[in-house]
Amino acid sequence: MAMSAVAVPTSGSDIGAPGDGQPQWRLPDAGWGRKAADAATLHEPQNIREYVAMHQHLKVGGGTRLLDVACGAGLAVELAAARGATAAGIDASARLVAVARDRSPEADLRVGDMRALPWADHAFDVVTSFRGIWGTTPEVLDEVRRVLRPGGLLGLTVWGHVKASPGAWALRPLLWAQASQVAHQAAMNSLGKPDVGERLLTEHGFEAVRRVVVPFVWEFADPESYARAVACTGPGYEAIQAIGEERFLHDAAQLAAEHARDGLPLRAEINLVGFIGRAPAPAGTGSSFLAEPVELTPAAAASYADDSAELGYVMNATRLWAHDTEALELLFKALGRVSRTAGLSIRDRGILVTAAASTLGDSYCSLAWGGKLATAASAQLSAGVLSGDDSLLDDRERALSRWARRAAADPNATTAADVEPLREAGFSEAQILAITAYVALRVAFSSVNDALGAVPDWQLRAGTPEAVLAAVTFGRAPAAGPGSS
Ligand SMILES: C[S@@+](CC[C@H](N)C(=O)[O-])C[C@H]1O[C@@H](n2cnc3c(N)ncnc32)[C@H](O)[C@@H]1O
């Protein structure tokens, strides 16, 4: 059977006969869910290169709140969770979602219609869809934008120039469906054409839209397993409805046999296109006033990974400084050096940072370091320093907190007498310089974060003692967490 037109497997959204009592969006289950175990084990693992590449492009990692739209049997959800993401997925096929739940019991997996996503606004950092959103379902893009946080990323894949692909033969059985279905598949497959996907995503409000390289190869042990893997897809089912299952399996296996290779698996490399777009972040609603870089430098990617490993999420300050992670590293190197010269313990640094940050009105560092000081000392002591009450500090610590406030509030208003308590506490001249530099460098860090609107991470609310939270009555409020919008 010759390949006469550009037609490719589709989401199968229109499979089934309307009017049989169930909503239209449930109909894909007839094709995709019919042989769910085959789809999960023979078909879906073929797409693994695509999942890994897109997760890498989207920097999916620890703490990423990710939704996979048209998640099928949930292999992509499982892989995202393996990278540390908090994963969710939705698919119209109840039988595929059952497999996805079996694979990822922790994930939030729902049977439903991608045109009406059952999640709150801004619930996700990343939304993926692997060959699930098509030219015929543009309204889904509005739903995706709604559930993405401002600045969050959409990554979707669609078929590219299939006819020019070395593995085009592997999609040929899908042309054995009725002509009207083949025509519909071709209509769905328009996004991969030059500029079409970019235009559609931009029209639906996404920014910084770009194409990315996505490897896609199907490999099969033998012609029979190939035939079964294609038969369990939605468009495969359309072809089976037209010519019958027995003939479909026979003809597909025969087609594949023409491509068999001695000692090697059958291999079909197919051109796939990936798009990445960013949900707009109106001023004051993103992680800061600056848009997050779409392409991370290796240093920025490493700092995201460090945050994820250490905290389970990427701090908004890290996202802001991703525009020049090296500058931040230099700043922290200098902080480390002066801290060592001054001989500052974690508790000393907590006192200096909370005293300076609260003087500046910087809620972000006050919360982050208020929590650390609470751990190193106590929540009451930390809340006290944040509110200007040093009664739980000893004389040496009091010298530190008072000097931090003086230097941060107005360095031109200090006097020689202000330095004296530091000497009395036993600090040398070199250490006093180092302590002052430590405060000044923290002021620089706070100033950049505050001036550029870095929003304290919502996770700080959960991880910070009540007394400390209550003491931070100034600065920008922490971001709203999931479920609070
Ligand atoms: C080409 S498959 C892709 C599945 C999966 N993303 C993968 O990588 O294998 C398309 C999927 O879209 C689902 N689907 C079709 N229409 C849908 C709708 N309106 N809402 C949710 N899922 C839908 C089908 O059930 C099917 O699992």
Side-chain angles (χ1 to χ4, degrees):
M1 203 170 294
M3 189 164 179
S4 55
V6 179
V8 293
T10 70
S11 69
S13 296
D14 297 336
I15 292 166
D20 59 2
Q22 53 179 332
Q24 186 79 16
W25 66 265
R26 281 195 177 273
L27 302 180
D29 182 62
W32 283 104
R34 189 175 68 103
K35 298 209 166 178
D38 276 12
T41 57
L42 298 177
H43 175 73
E44 212 179 26
Q46 301 296 329
N47 312 328
I48 202 150
R49 296 167 183 83
E50 170 193 19
Y51 303 148
V52 170
M54 285 302 278
H55 287 161
Q56 194 60 27
H57 279 301
L58 294 161
K59 305 285 182 280
V60 174
T64 306
R65 296 168 299 159
L66 176 141
L67 171 67
D68 189 31
V69 169
C71 66
L75 185 56
V77 166
E78 190 180 354
L79 293 179
R83 297 171 76 104
T86 304
I90 186 167
D91 198 278
S93 167
R95 287 176 285 186
L96 289 184
V97 171
V99 179
R101 287 183 178 140
D102 184 53
R103 286 172 158 171
S104 307
E106 303 292 310
D108 177 6
L109 292 157
R110 305 191 191 182
V111 179
D113 185 1
M114 61 185 173
R115 296 173 179 88
L117 296 173
W119 282 279
D121 297 358
H122 306 167
F124 298 100
D125 302 308
V126 168
V127 173
T128 52
S129 189
F130 299 99
R131 294 158 288 99
I133 298 175
W134 299 92
T136 48
T137 54
E139 67 275 29
V140 180
L141 294 172
D142 298 325
E143 271 297 87
V144 168
R145 194 163 41 75
R146 180 183 66 73
V147 299
L148 270 175
R149 71 166 168 78
L153 294 177
L154 161 67
L156 65 85
T157 60
V158 294
W159 296 115
H161 197 344
V162 169
K163 266 211 285 195
S165 306
W169 64 268
L171 299 176
R172 208 170 297 156
L174 309 169
L175 299 177
W176 302 341
Q178 284 177 10
S180 61
Q181 289 171 319
V182 172
H184 182 64
Q185 290 175 15
M188 293 170 84
N189 185 37
S190 57
L191 289 190
K193 291 183 181 158
D195 214 32
V196 176
E198 286 89 339
R199 246 184 299 127
L200 189 74
L201 262 68
T202 306
E203 277 165 23
H204 285 266
F206 287 90
E207 296 174 344
V209 176
R210 64 197 169 104
R211 265 174 204 240
V212 291
V213 174
V214 186
F216 193 88
V217 182
W218 282 351
E219 282 182 334
F220 299 96
D222 51 60
E224 287 69 33
S225 35
Y226 158 77
R228 271 180 71 187
V230 186
C232 65
T233 65
Y237 181 54
E238 288 180 338
I240 285 169
Q241 283 179 310
I243 66 169
E245 185 144 20
E246 206 176 313
R247 181 167 156 213
F248 179 93
L249 289 171
H250 173 268
D251 289 359
Q254 228 175 26
L255 168 71
E258 291 167 23
H259 298 270
R261 303 172 309 156
D262 226 10
L264 293 171
L266 282 159
R267 184 177 168 90
E269 199 176 326
I270 301 166
N271 186 249
L272 197 80
V273 174
F275 289 107
I276 292 187
R278 194 175 53 214
T285 59
S287 56
S288 75
F289 297 153
L290 299 192
E292 209 175 327
V294 174
E295 201 68 80
L296 295 183
T297 62
S303 71
Y304 277 41
D306 287 349
D307 270 17
S308 296
E310 225 172 278
L311 308 168
Y313 66 95
V314 179
M315 294 186 81
N316 287 338
T318 306
R319 297 180 193 279
L320 171 65
W321 284 86
H323 290 284
D324 194 348
T325 301
E326 285 89 345
L328 184 63
E329 284 169 358
L330 289 170
L331 180 67
F332 274 86
K333 205 167 161 199
L335 275 163
R337 181 189 159 90
V338 293
S339 167
R340 281 191 299 280
T341 305
L344 300 174
S345 66
I346 176 97
R347 176 168 163 145
D348 293 339
R349 282 179 281 145
I351 290 166
L352 288 171
V353 177
T354 50
S358 56
T359 301
L360 292 170
D362 170 11
S363 57
Y364 202 156
C365 289
S366 294
L367 287 168
W369 272 88
K372 289 186 200 183
L373 183 57
T375 307
S378 71
Q380 285 66 32
L381 181 146
S382 176
V385 178
L386 285 163
S387 329
D389 170 5
D390 292 345
S391 55
L392 291 176
L393 303 185
D394 63 24
D395 288 347
R396 180 181 162 283
E397 290 169 340
R398 210 168 290 130
L400 289 174
S401 68
R402 289 189 178 161
W403 180 242
R405 291 195 193 97
R406 297 287 288 156
D410 187 355
N412 286 297
T414 57
T415 65
D418 291 325
V419 180
E420 214 41 54
L422 290 167
R423 286 201 188 97
E424 284 165 14
F427 289 112
S428 69
E429 305 298 285
Q431 284 178 309
I432 294 171
L433 175 85
I435 290 164
T436 311
Y438 186 85
V439 172
L441 291 167
R442 290 300 315 191
V443 169
F445 181 57
S446 288
S447 302
V448 173
N449 295 340
D450 291 349
L452 291 175
V455 179
D457 310 285
W458 65 265
Q459 291 90 341
L460 288 172
R461 281 185 203 269
T464 306
E466 212 37 67
V468 173
L469 285 174
V472 182
T473 52
F474 44 79
R476 294 193 164 82
S484 51
S485 57

